Amino acid sequence: MIRVQEEDFDLGAELKAMSAGKTSIGGLCSFVGLVRDMAGDAEIGAMTLEHYPGMTEKALEEIETEAHARWPLDATLIIHRYGRLEPGDQIVLVAAASAHREAAFEACHYLIDFLKTRAPFWKLEDTADGAKWVDARASDDAATARWAVKSGEE
Amino acid sequence: MIRVQEEDFDLGAELKAMSAGKTSIGGLCSFVGLVRDMAGDAEIGAMTLEHYPGMTEKALEEIETEAHARWPLDATLIIHRYGRLEPGDQIVLVAAASAHREAAFEACHYLIDFLKTRAPFWKLEDTADGAKWVDARASDDAATARWAVKSGEE
Amino acid sequence: MKLLYFAWVRERVGGASEDIPRPDGVATVGDLVAWLAARGDGYAEAFEESSMVRAAVNQEHVDLSHPVADGDEVAFFPPVTGG
Amino acid sequence: MKLLYFAWVRERVGGASEDIPRPDGVATVGDLVAWLAARGDGYAEAFEESSMVRAAVNQEHVDLSHPVADGDEVAFFPPVTGG
């Protein structure tokens, strides 16, 4: 399931709902991204997340579908927020549940790596020097690229 | 923090408590192990987890300390239950929070891999053929061994 | 065609969207970028570092060689930074 | 020494713990395994596949060559299966 929303989410309730009644699940791996108060050396007050309605949902659904094609998963969940967020706020939740621990870990990792390079979100950070668009990181491209290598190895 | 307990835990409350007030955290990765209703081909009713009081806590603390030595972590949590558990019940929670996503993922994965081969717990499963001690899996030893390789690469 | 702009591309262009007929001679995303940049002012500024601008056609990531057709939704934006 | 047994080692031995003086000639975990197995019955059965039995001395995983001393807590158990 994917959701794009302005409001916060209840991490515990979301994870519980994912596995409720599915006793074939042996492991549930989740990752939550939070607003940090420091990015590089500049102190961050808050940020605003812009996104591309329509394409965002499409991109997240494609990433989720691809994860299910690669691993035997009982459930996956992607929730991404947009709008204004303060330090400590939750930005994103990705989770994957499987009979097998490695599948849950790898699929969860895959979901966040691809989300970082494919989902159309842009962060505008409030800094001491004014609002600044966050630059994409080469490490995120590298994180995505490694899944291509891993597939080849399998 | 590590805890060994018979009672269930509230996943959402535990994860919230881990990151509360720590705005240096950028990512929180968690893994929950659940009792599956199938192990191999035999249907499982329930299981009983035996452990070694004293050594269990010591082993989990060592695993946690080692994770902090390897990655820049703001917080880690290991909760492992013992006693009788039914299909769908939570067995174990491991979680790691860091400024950086990769550190959170790798540390969380490390915690569960080492827990699986070092923490003194033993599963006794109720099956259609009676109670059976679960055999250790070679794949768990392999999962632990790969962290030695990864360290060498760094 | 419907054109959409996001993040600093939107700020430089000075608007979030516009509807235009497909310009003569514009067959690919790259052609469209060149045509937009030639409009000057904010457009020139938005597309001056064209290696920093990403594109989507009908909500799919594409590169500059991708064709554009009448009725397409074409979006321009910086590399994504969500998650 | 305090000896502890867990899981099927405990079931075969027929008890969870016992206190014994360190037997003459027992200097390592391996010596202790051999001494216990020679007690017969459940002990022999517990240690007959000695490659399947793991040991801890004072709550640390050790191998068969590890020394044992008076006052040590020595535990025997199958490979762990938690998590």
Side-chain angles (χ1 to χ4, degrees):
Chain A
M1 192 171 64
I2 70 117
R3 295 213 313 268
V4 181
Q5 62 188 44
E6 190 156 9
E7 61 270 23
D8 197 12
F9 51 85
D10 180 333
L11 175 57
E14 297 294 346
L15 296 179
K16 203 164 198 168
M18 261 185 84
S19 60
K22 293 181 189 143
T23 52
S24 55
I25 295 175
L28 170 59
C29 185
S30 72
F31 177 84
V32 180
L34 302 153
V35 182
R36 280 194 291 158
D37 62 1
M38 298 281 284
D41 291 326
E43 192 121 357
I44 303 294
M47 68 165 65
T48 304
L49 262 161
E50 179 172 334
H51 78 119
Y52 180 171
M55 181 170 169
T56 306
E57 289 79 359
K58 198 169 171 177
L60 296 181
E61 276 164 11
E62 284 170 3
I63 293 165
E64 187 176 50
T65 299
E66 181 63 22
H68 280 269
R70 285 185 171 224
W71 292 279
L73 303 173
D74 292 281
T76 50
L77 176 63
I78 306 176
I79 301 176
H80 204 301
R81 295 176 68 192
Y82 60 88
R84 190 162 177 81
L85 299 171
E86 305 280 338
D89 281 354
Q90 301 181 118
I91 306 171
V92 62
L93 165 63
V94 297
S98 173
H100 306 290
R101 159 170 118 254
E102 286 305 314
F105 258 103
E106 292 193 6
C108 185
H109 209 158
Y110 177 93
L111 291 175
I112 190 70
D113 282 354
F114 273 76
L115 184 154
K116 287 254 176 195
T117 55
R118 298 287 172 81
F121 287 93
W122 301 275
K123 286 182 182 136
L124 180 65
E125 288 179 342
D126 295 353
T127 73
D129 303 327
K132 289 196 172 165
W133 291 101
V134 173
D135 283 333
R137 297 187 310 162
S139 62
D140 285 333
D141 284 332
T144 302
R146 93 185 131 180
W147 293 102
V149 175
K150 281 199 181 169
S151 289
E153 287 172 358
E154 277 165 12
Chain B
M1 191 171 66
I2 70 116
R3 293 213 315 267
V4 182
Q5 62 188 44
E6 190 157 10
E7 62 269 25
D8 197 12
F9 52 84
D10 180 333
L11 175 58
E14 297 294 348
L15 296 180
K16 203 164 197 169
M18 260 185 85
S19 59
K22 294 179 188 142
T23 52
S24 55
I25 296 175
L28 170 61
C29 185
S30 72
F31 177 84
V32 180
L34 302 154
V35 182
R36 279 193 292 158
D37 61 2
M38 298 280 284
D41 290 326
E43 192 121 359
I44 303 294
M47 66 164 65
T48 304
L49 262 161
E50 179 172 334
H51 77 119
Y52 180 173
M55 180 170 170
T56 306
E57 289 80 358
K58 197 169 172 178
L60 296 182
E61 277 164 10
E62 285 170 2
I63 294 165
E64 187 176 49
T65 298
E66 181 63 22
H68 280 269
R70 284 185 172 224
W71 291 278
L73 302 173
D74 292 281
T76 50
L77 176 64
I78 306 176
I79 302 177
H80 204 301
R81 295 176 67 191
Y82 60 87
R84 190 161 178 81
L85 298 171
E86 304 280 338
D89 281 355
Q90 302 182 117
I91 305 170
V92 62
L93 165 64
V94 297
S98 173
H100 306 289
R101 159 170 118 253
E102 286 306 313
F105 257 103
E106 292 193 7
C108 184
H109 209 157
Y110 177 93
L111 290 174
I112 190 70
D113 282 353
F114 273 76
L115 184 154
K116 286 256 176 193
T117 55
R118 299 286 173 82
F121 287 94
W122 301 275
K123 286 182 182 139
L124 181 66
E125 289 179 341
D126 295 353
T127 74
D129 303 326
K132 290 196 170 166
W133 292 100
V134 173
D135 283 334
R137 297 187 310 162
S139 61
D140 286 333
D141 283 333
T144 302
R146 94 185 130 178
W147 293 101
V149 175
K150 282 198 182 170
S151 291
E153 287 173 356
E154 277 165 12
Chain C
M1 329 173 77
K2 184 174 190 182
L3 305 187
L4 300 173
Y5 309 106
F6 293 95
W8 56 252
V9 176
R10 172 178 53 70
E11 289 180 339
R12 292 180 189 177
V13 163
S17 71
E18 58 185 320
D19 285 290
I20 59 162
R22 183 164 60 86
D24 285 343
V26 167
T28 66
V29 172
D31 296 339
L32 184 56
V33 167
W35 184 86
L36 287 167
R39 282 167 129 185
D41 296 342
Y43 289 94
E45 197 195 344
F47 292 98
E48 72 185 347
E49 292 175 272
S50 64
S51 69
M52 290 304 295
V53 178
R54 300 289 177 268
V57 171
N58 299 326
Q59 307 189 346
E60 294 282 355
H61 294 282
V62 298
D63 59 29
L64 293 176
S65 64
H66 193 277
V68 291
D70 296 324
D72 278 353
E73 176 176 303
V74 184
F76 294 102
F77 43 76
V80 305
T81 56
Chain D
M1 329 172 78
K2 184 173 188 182
L3 304 186
L4 300 174
Y5 309 107
F6 293 96
W8 56 252
V9 176
R10 171 179 54 71
E11 289 180 340
R12 292 180 190 177
V13 163
S17 70
E18 60 186 317
D19 285 288
I20 59 162
R22 182 163 61 86
D24 285 343
V26 166
T28 67
V29 173
D31 295 340
L32 184 57
V33 166
W35 184 85
L36 287 167
R39 281 166 132 186
D41 296 341
Y43 290 95
E45 196 195 343
F47 293 99
E48 71 185 348
E49 293 174 89
S50 65
S51 69
M52 291 304 297
V53 178
R54 300 289 178 271
V57 171
N58 298 326
Q59 306 188 347
E60 295 281 355
H61 294 281
V62 298
D63 59 30
L64 293 176
S65 65
H66 194 278
V68 291
D70 295 325
D72 277 353
E73 177 176 303
V74 184
F76 294 102
F77 43 77
V80 304
T81 57

